[in-house]
Amino acid sequence: MRLNKYIASAGVCSRRKADELIVNGNVKINGSVCCKLGMDVSEDDVVSVNGRVINGEKKRVYFALNKPAGYITSMDDEKGRPAVSELVSDITDRVFPVGRLDYNTTGLLIMTNDGDVANRMAHPSGEVYKTYVAEVEGVVSSRRIDRLRKGVDIGGWITAPAKVRLIKQKPKSAVLEISIREGKNRQVRKMCAAVGNRVQKLERISIGEIRLGRLKEGHYRKLTREEIDYLKSL
Ligand code: URA
């Protein structure tokens, strides 16, 4: 099996992240550092990542977490900020987040030890819509909604067509539902800023067919069989 696939199947991280670990010299095969991509390993090889021996083919677990604001989407943070790992510390399997939410964004984050699913979701074939509810400053005209739908320049990148719906217009702010298939850094915030409506609050309410529902902030739940099958079908 390819080394990156082996690391992902052991639930350490996605295949892409595994490639980074390999190139950075964090991976050893039978005690020797392996920095080369594309290496094959067999069942008899002993693979370690950051000094810890890993075993391929672990039991897969899948959770939906409602990330609160003020947490970094990572298993630890060099700057000592709270990390989502603290919210899942009682899960015995070592799970990691699929994709990212900004420090101040709340909502649905999938946590798993299935590196293959994480890998596929990180490189979606453009099919999975991620839906956000954005509270924005000011008045959102229908012209601005149209621009958001068609694509806006977020600093050298024109966003792909998006689904955008005005949920509520208040005197000085508005609530929008925005579904995007891309995942550029701070994309929704940048899109709204590009049309002149700064985001005040942002929540992800769904990833494809997986919905946040009534899950409380800081809480997690197991994904259902149907949700897991859906993830695997992507
Ligand atoms: N878009 C953003 O601006 N922030 C997120 O966390 C996710 C999408």
Side-chain angles (χ1 to χ4, degrees):
M1 188 191 281
R2 274 286 147 88
L3 179 56
N4 62 355
K5 190 170 179 200
Y6 183 89
I7 295 170
S9 72
V12 176
C13 55
S14 67
R15 266 193 236 179
R16 196 158 55 116
K17 184 83 190 155
D19 281 338
E20 275 174 36
L21 291 170
I22 295 165
V23 189
N24 292 336
N26 299 92
V27 177
K28 285 185 183 173
I29 304 175
N30 304 323
S32 305
V33 173
C34 169
C35 296
K36 264 205 331 231
L37 296 176
M39 288 287 286
D40 282 320
V41 284
S42 73
E43 277 174 16
D44 301 330
D45 289 317
V46 178
V47 177
S48 66
V49 176
N50 293 325
R52 205 170 60 91
V53 174
I54 59 164
N55 300 305
E57 301 299 335
K58 276 236 186 84
K59 175 179 67 121
R60 305 278 185 268
V61 290
Y62 306 84
F63 296 90
L65 169 72
N66 186 348
K67 177 194 159 315
Y71 280 80
I72 181 130
T73 307
S74 145
M75 295 317 275
D76 52 48
D77 182 44
E78 298 127 22
K79 296 183 199 158
R81 290 174 294 182
V84 291
S85 55
E86 294 165 32
L87 302 167
V88 293
S89 58
D90 54 350
I91 298 175
T92 42
D93 300 275
R94 201 167 154 270
V95 292
F96 53 85
V98 177
R100 238 165 234 272
L101 287 178
D102 299 336
Y103 186 65
N104 282 324
T105 301
T106 63
L108 180 60
L109 193 62
I110 290 168
M111 307 285 298
T112 181
N113 60 358
D114 186 337
D116 279 333
V117 158
N119 195 49
R120 265 182 272 130
M121 290 190 65
H123 293 280
S125 48
E127 294 308 316
V128 184
Y129 272 100
K130 297 172 188 107
T131 300
Y132 298 84
V133 171
E135 287 184 33
V136 300
E137 286 175 1
V139 174
V140 185
S141 63
S142 51
R143 189 165 170 274
R144 287 179 179 186
I145 291 180
D146 230 40
R147 284 179 60 203
L148 288 169
R149 282 183 182 146
K150 286 186 179 140
V152 288
D153 188 338
I154 55 166
W157 178 268
I158 308 291
T159 56
K163 296 181 192 170
V164 183
R165 187 165 76 84
L166 180 65
I167 297 177
K168 197 173 198 175
Q169 179 63 64
K170 303 179 206 169
K172 288 186 177 163
S173 64
V175 182
L176 289 172
E177 187 182 272
I178 302 182
S179 301
I180 56 172
R181 290 187 290 188
E182 300 164 301
K184 297 282 169 207
N185 187 32
R186 300 175 71 81
Q187 180 161 339
V188 174
R189 292 175 194 276
K190 286 179 185 168
M191 285 170 69
C192 294
V195 297
N197 298 94
R198 210 169 67 89
V199 169
Q200 295 169 320
K201 231 170 144 202
L202 188 61
E203 179 183 38
R204 179 155 68 191
I205 57 166
S206 66
I207 299 173
E209 292 176 11
I210 300 174
R211 291 185 177 76
L212 183 63
R214 289 166 185 265
L215 191 60
K216 290 202 185 102
E217 272 188 28
H219 289 226
Y220 63 82
R221 66 169 173 88
K222 275 188 180 168
L223 292 193
T224 64
R225 186 72 255 164
E226 289 74 30
E227 288 173 325
I228 296 168
D229 288 345
Y230 165 73
L231 282 185
K232 289 185 173 174
S233 74
L234 294 175

